[in-house]
Amino acid sequence: MAENEFPGWHGTTIIGVRKGGKVVVAGDGQVSLGQTVIKGTARKVRRLSPGGFDVVAGFAGSTADAFTLLERLEAKLEATPGQLARASVELAKDWRTDKYLQKLEAMLIVTDGTDLFVITGAGDVLEPEHDIAAIGSGGNFALAAARGLMDSETDAEVIARKAMAIAADICVYTNGKLTVEEISK
């Protein structure tokens, strides 16, 4: 098999839902290599606490690349305590301009309980509409499901869990073994 034919790591679903003064980030546990499930219980949602300032981050893409980005985000948060937006913009600028970081293949959803952002390698720091952010191969399925549930009396965690269940039923690269983190301000 030629190098450019290697199937590569593929797929995941991460969702962030902000409702009722809380933000919930949920991610599935499946890691796939081509058409094979390599692991079903990966933790793709993490709590960071640089300088006592809590942030929840979820990632889609290469795990090693995501951990590199999470370390950089932690450093930015330590340099700008309590300023998630500023730290996110600084990370996105570095990611876009640094030759090493440009090769990283991942996306992040980050929140401090108030702000909710998607950070990409294109230099984007996006604040989602409708208080929902979703990334990964099943992201659009989870996003659509969550948007349909937002007008209900259901809280953020239930919406995130139901949306992830729907995504797992549709996307073959997403499973139902969730990591869920809640944060509020």
Side-chain angles (χ1 to χ4, degrees):
M1 177 177 288
E3 183 179 340
N4 60 352
E5 294 176 20
F6 188 73
W9 301 100
H10 184 22
T12 201
T13 303
I14 305 292
I15 190 164
V17 178
R18 180 174 44 208
K19 186 174 182 184
K22 299 176 189 173
V23 182
V24 172
V25 179
D28 78 306
Q30 183 168 308
V31 177
S32 304
L33 180 60
Q35 296 178 342
T36 305
V37 175
I38 301 297
K39 183 174 183 175
T41 57
R43 283 191 61 236
K44 302 172 197 169
V45 176
R46 309 250 172 198
R47 187 173 293 267
L48 311 173
S49 296
F53 176 69
D54 277 350
V55 170
V56 173
F59 62 86
S62 166
T63 304
D65 292 356
F67 282 133
T68 299
L69 293 168
L70 291 175
E71 287 173 5
R72 296 283 181 121
L73 178 61
E74 261 187 312
K76 298 294 183 190
L77 287 165
E78 287 171 359
T80 59
Q83 298 180 53
L84 180 61
R86 184 172 175 191
S88 297
V89 168
E90 291 299 318
L91 173 64
K93 285 192 321 191
D94 288 355
W95 193 354
R96 184 171 183 177
T97 59
D98 183 284
K99 296 266 188 227
Y100 168 73
L101 294 178
Q102 284 177 355
K103 296 179 181 168
L104 300 183
E105 296 181 7
M107 291 180 76
L108 301 174
I109 290 179
V110 298
T111 181
D112 60 2
T114 302
D115 291 322
L116 177 63
F117 299 117
V118 175
I119 308 173
T120 75
D124 298 316
V125 177
L126 306 169
E127 187 168 16
E129 294 182 331
H130 311 291
D131 292 322
I132 307 163
I135 58 175
S137 60
N140 287 337
F141 306 123
L143 177 66
R147 285 198 50 196
L149 294 166
M150 283 298 278
D151 289 337
S152 70
E153 297 297 318
T154 310
D155 71 7
E157 182 174 347
V158 173
I159 291 171
R161 286 182 181 278
K162 284 183 177 183
M164 289 296 293
I166 290 168
D169 283 346
I170 298 169
C171 177
V172 297
Y173 297 107
T174 301
N175 71 14
K177 295 185 173 121
L178 304 181
T179 301
V180 178
E181 290 282 347
E182 179 181 301
I183 188 169
S184 59
K185 270 289 186 186

